[in-house]
């Protein structure tokens, strides 16, 4: 009986397995992109549940009963998440209504700078490279993204609450040995602990970064500062790149409202916060926890944003961290995890040291 698989493929079992895996991954990604309106809120709900899980554990350790700890955790998720939804949607709608005023202010700023203080023509060149229309377009894109994420977040809060409500039952099943014969289920608790450890570290870093940026924006007098601080908190899950993107809207607003000095203050202050967060706080708080390589951070951010839309920007790092942890828990793929994370190189280097 003749096989449709070429002989040179059948002769190399590893190559055949790689081809089958590549096709399966391609089909899975196609389905994820097709189901993005459903997958995005589900993924965001899982992310919120993972963020809230340490609170549940902390409450239990403080002597609260499991039922009370669960109720308090779900209450915090609903209240805080609902506050984020209201803040995001309300601020985005107000900003959209004020867009014409900001466009006029940006044009006025260019008109003020160019003839009076630009003998070299640098500002004229800047206007040609970055016209006011481009800045207004960036603000409008930020509004659209905020509205889309706010809508997805509303559904994600419900999903996270339901997942937390069902969490104790799933924990009892796993503790009772469910799926112990399956390597995926067997490694699930260890994967969950490692992922939560990484998320807790990033939450601390992101919170300090967002609070610092909020204080800077309030001093400069940027409109909708709480909205941009919330955006900075979530985008900072993407190291280096996330905070840079979060600085774009407040920088444009600072330029429109107060001029180039205020815009430069936002850029300079945000850059300092970014450097401190990723080069001082992250190594200090992370320790031996997972640290992803910079190129992977950039690639996965754009890939997931392209695949499932704006929510993908928030889920890029949690998804990537989970993939790397799965690779790290398999002996055959551990070398791939070592290539994708700095922890693997540091451990190897430490082992080789005398």
């Amino acid at each position: 009986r003749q096989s449709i698989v070429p002989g040179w493929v059948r002769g190399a079992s590893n190559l055949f397995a790689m081809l089958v895996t590549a096709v399966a991954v391609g089909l899975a990604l196609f389905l994820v992109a097709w189901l993005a309106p459903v997958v995005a809120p589900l993924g965001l709900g899982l992310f919120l549940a993972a963020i809230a899980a340490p609170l549940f554990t902390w409450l239990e350790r403080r002597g609260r009963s499991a039922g009370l700890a669960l109720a308090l955790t779900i209450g915090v998720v609903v209240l805080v998440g609902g506050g984020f939804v209201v803040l995001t949607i309300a601020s985005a709608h107000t900003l959209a209504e004020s867009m014409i005023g900001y466009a006029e202010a940006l044009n006025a700023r260019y008109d003020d700078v160019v003839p009076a203080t630009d003998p070299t023509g640098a500002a004229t060149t800047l206007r040609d490279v970055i016209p006011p229309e481009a800045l207004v377009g960036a603000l409008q894109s930020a509004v659209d993204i905020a509205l889309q994420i706010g809508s997805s977040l509303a559904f994600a809060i419900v999903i996270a609450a339901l997942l937390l409500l069902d969490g104790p039952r799933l924990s009892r099943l796993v503790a009772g040995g469910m799926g112990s014969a399956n390597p995926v289920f067997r490694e699930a608790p260890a994967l969950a602990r490692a992922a939560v450890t990484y998320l807790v570290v990033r939450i601390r870093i992101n919170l300090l970064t967002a609070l610092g940026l909020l204080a800077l924006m309030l001093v400069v007098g940027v409109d909708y500062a709480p909205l941009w601080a919330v955006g900075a908190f979530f985008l900072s899950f993407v190291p280096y790149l996330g905070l840079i993107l979060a600085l774009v809207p407040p920088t444009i607003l600072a330029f429109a409202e107060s001029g180039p000095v205020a815009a430069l203050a936002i850029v300079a202050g945000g850059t300092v916060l970014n450097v401190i967060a990723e080069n001082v706080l992250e190594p200090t708080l992370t320790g031996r926890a997972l640290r992803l390589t910079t190129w992977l951070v950039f690639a996965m951010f754009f890939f997931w944003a392209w695949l499932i839309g704006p929510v993908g920007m928030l889920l890029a790092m949690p998804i990537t961290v989970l993939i790397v942890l799965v690779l790290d828990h398999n002996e055959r793929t551990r070398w791939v995890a070592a290539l994708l994370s700095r922890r693997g190189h540091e451990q190897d280097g430490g082992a080789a040291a005398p």
Side-chain angles (χ1 to χ4, degrees):
R1 185 177 180 181
Q2 188 175 5
S3 173
I4 60 173
V5 180
W8 62 274
V9 174
R10 285 186 283 107
S13 58
N14 289 337
L15 179 59
F16 180 63
M18 290 175 60
L19 290 175
V20 172
T21 302
V23 172
V25 170
L27 290 174
L29 292 177
F30 172 79
L31 289 175
V32 168
W34 182 49
L35 297 173
V38 177
V39 172
L42 284 174
L44 195 55
L46 285 168
F47 180 44
L48 293 179
I51 290 178
L55 175 61
F56 174 77
T57 304
W58 180 80
L59 288 171
E60 278 196 318
R61 289 176 179 173
R62 299 280 294 183
R64 305 296 187 272
S65 64
L68 179 59
L70 180 61
L72 291 174
T73 302
I74 294 176
V76 169
V77 169
V78 173
L79 290 176
V80 176
F84 283 166
V85 171
V86 173
L87 172 66
T88 301
I89 295 179
S91 299
H93 276 299
T94 305
L95 180 57
E97 294 172 356
S98 307
M99 196 63 65
I100 296 177
Y102 287 117
E104 294 174 351
L106 286 169
N107 279 291
R109 289 294 175 189
Y110 274 91
D111 293 338
D112 291 342
V113 170
V114 171
T117 60
D118 187 33
T120 63
T124 304
T125 303
L126 178 63
R127 181 167 190 157
D128 294 335
V129 175
I130 309 176
E133 295 78 11
L135 299 181
V136 174
L139 275 180
Q140 187 61 55
S141 297
V143 169
D144 296 339
I145 290 173
L147 288 173
Q148 185 171 343
I149 290 178
S151 301
S152 298
L153 186 59
F155 291 101
I157 292 170
V158 177
I159 294 170
L162 294 175
L163 287 172
L164 290 170
L165 192 62
D166 201 40
R169 183 184 68 87
L170 296 176
S171 299
R172 288 194 300 270
L173 290 175
V174 172
M178 185 194 74
S180 58
N182 188 303
V184 175
F185 283 97
R186 189 169 58 246
E187 296 293 337
L191 289 173
R193 287 192 297 270
V196 168
T197 299
Y198 176 82
L199 289 177
V200 168
V201 169
R202 285 310 313 185
I203 287 172
R204 295 176 181 176
I205 296 172
N206 296 1
L207 185 60
L208 293 174
T209 303
L211 291 176
L213 183 60
L214 176 62
L216 175 63
M217 290 187 292
L218 291 176
V219 171
V220 174
V222 178
D223 288 344
Y224 311 104
L227 173 64
W228 311 128
V230 170
F233 172 80
F234 283 105
L235 284 175
S236 291
F237 278 100
V238 183
Y240 299 104
L241 181 62
L243 188 58
I244 294 175
L245 294 177
L247 289 175
V248 173
T251 300
I252 296 174
L253 290 179
F255 178 68
E257 297 160 359
S258 306
V261 175
L264 288 175
I266 295 296
V267 172
T271 302
V272 171
L273 286 173
N274 205 7
V275 171
I276 292 175
E278 303 303 337
N279 294 284
V280 179
L281 293 179
E282 199 229 12
T284 301
L285 296 177
T286 300
R288 296 179 64 85
L290 180 66
R291 298 173 62 193
L292 302 178
T293 55
T294 305
W295 70 266
L296 183 67
V297 168
F298 278 71
M300 291 297 99
F301 177 85
F302 290 108
F303 173 76
W304 288 107
W306 166 77
L307 190 67
I308 60 177
V311 176
M313 295 187 295
L314 305 181
L315 298 179
M317 284 307 100
I319 293 173
T320 306
V321 167
L322 187 59
I323 292 173
V324 173
L325 289 174
V326 169
L327 294 173
D328 189 53
H329 278 71
N330 190 315
E331 189 67 34
R332 295 182 178 180
T333 58
R334 189 163 294 163
W335 65 274
V336 181
L339 291 177
L340 300 179
S341 63
R342 284 175 282 176
R343 181 179 63 178
H345 295 297
E346 291 169 358
Q347 288 175 345
D348 292 344

